[in-house]
Amino acid sequence: MLTYQRPYVFLIKVTLFALIISALPLPEIVLDIAPFWLLLFFAYWLTHFTTQGKFFLALLLGVLIDVLYGDILGQNALALILSSAFINNIKQSFVVSNITTQQVYIFAASSIYLGLLLLVHGLSTQDFSFNIYLLFKPFLSALLWPVVQLLFSKLKH
């Protein structure tokens, strides 16, 4: 595991990058299949840095995503916290695994994230129309994991 002098500065940088990517005006179908950018970036940060307050940071970042999308306050925070707890529990295995196994772990974390979002929307009174393209989010997150990992490993040095 490589060390970085200021892990919180790196987190702020990748969070701003994730928020910018998430706020881009794209066609509806692209937005429906877009990966969970903040989850991918936060998973990288979780697995490469050892810091305190991981879940509190996940709460803050999730609330930022809720505000950005205008979603039910706390739904992305809950999804990011539980997905981060999964990544944190398998961190030792994640770090030493090959890229394909890491993609399976990212797929599982993204599926947890999507499942919680769908559960919250299903239980709320907010109008929600299910789109089959939403099911591609975990697949695309897993497919883009090697790119994210390569990009951030280059930026970290």
Side-chain angles (χ1 to χ4, degrees):
M1 185 177 332
L2 302 171
T3 58
Y4 183 74
Q5 295 293 333
R6 299 170 297 225
Y8 296 109
V9 172
F10 187 78
L11 178 64
I12 290 170
K13 289 177 184 178
V14 298
T15 300
L16 289 175
F17 188 57
L19 293 174
I20 289 169
I21 290 173
S22 298
L24 289 176
L26 298 170
E28 189 68 30
I29 191 165
V30 174
L31 291 175
D32 287 341
I33 65 170
F36 298 114
W37 291 112
L38 192 62
L39 174 63
L40 284 175
F41 298 168
F42 193 64
Y44 180 85
W45 186 79
L46 277 175
T47 56
H48 288 82
F49 298 103
T50 54
T51 57
Q52 298 292 326
K54 298 171 191 155
F55 299 121
F56 180 71
L57 289 170
L59 173 75
L60 291 177
L61 296 176
V63 169
L64 278 174
I65 290 293
D66 288 331
V67 170
L68 178 68
Y69 289 144
D71 288 335
I72 298 170
L73 193 61
Q75 74 175 9
N76 284 294
L78 176 64
L80 189 60
I81 288 170
L82 292 178
S83 298
S84 300
F86 171 74
I87 294 291
N88 197 44
N89 283 339
I90 60 160
K91 181 178 179 178
Q92 297 298 324
S93 174
F94 190 93
V95 172
V96 297
S97 298
N98 62 15
I99 196 70
T100 306
T101 307
Q102 288 179 1
Q103 286 178 303
V104 170
Y105 289 145
I106 292 296
F107 176 78
S110 297
S111 297
I112 291 168
Y113 196 101
L114 179 63
L116 277 162
L117 291 183
L118 293 176
L119 179 67
V120 167
H121 277 289
L123 294 175
S124 71
T125 57
Q126 185 179 12
D127 184 33
F128 176 68
S129 58
F130 179 75
N131 190 343
I132 195 72
Y133 294 119
L134 290 174
L135 299 178
F136 288 108
K137 283 181 173 282
F139 290 110
L140 197 56
S141 295
L143 285 175
L144 288 176
W145 174 250
V147 175
V148 168
Q149 191 173 28
L150 178 69
L151 175 71
F152 287 155
S153 67
K154 299 284 185 195
L155 290 177
K156 197 164 78 166
H157 295 299

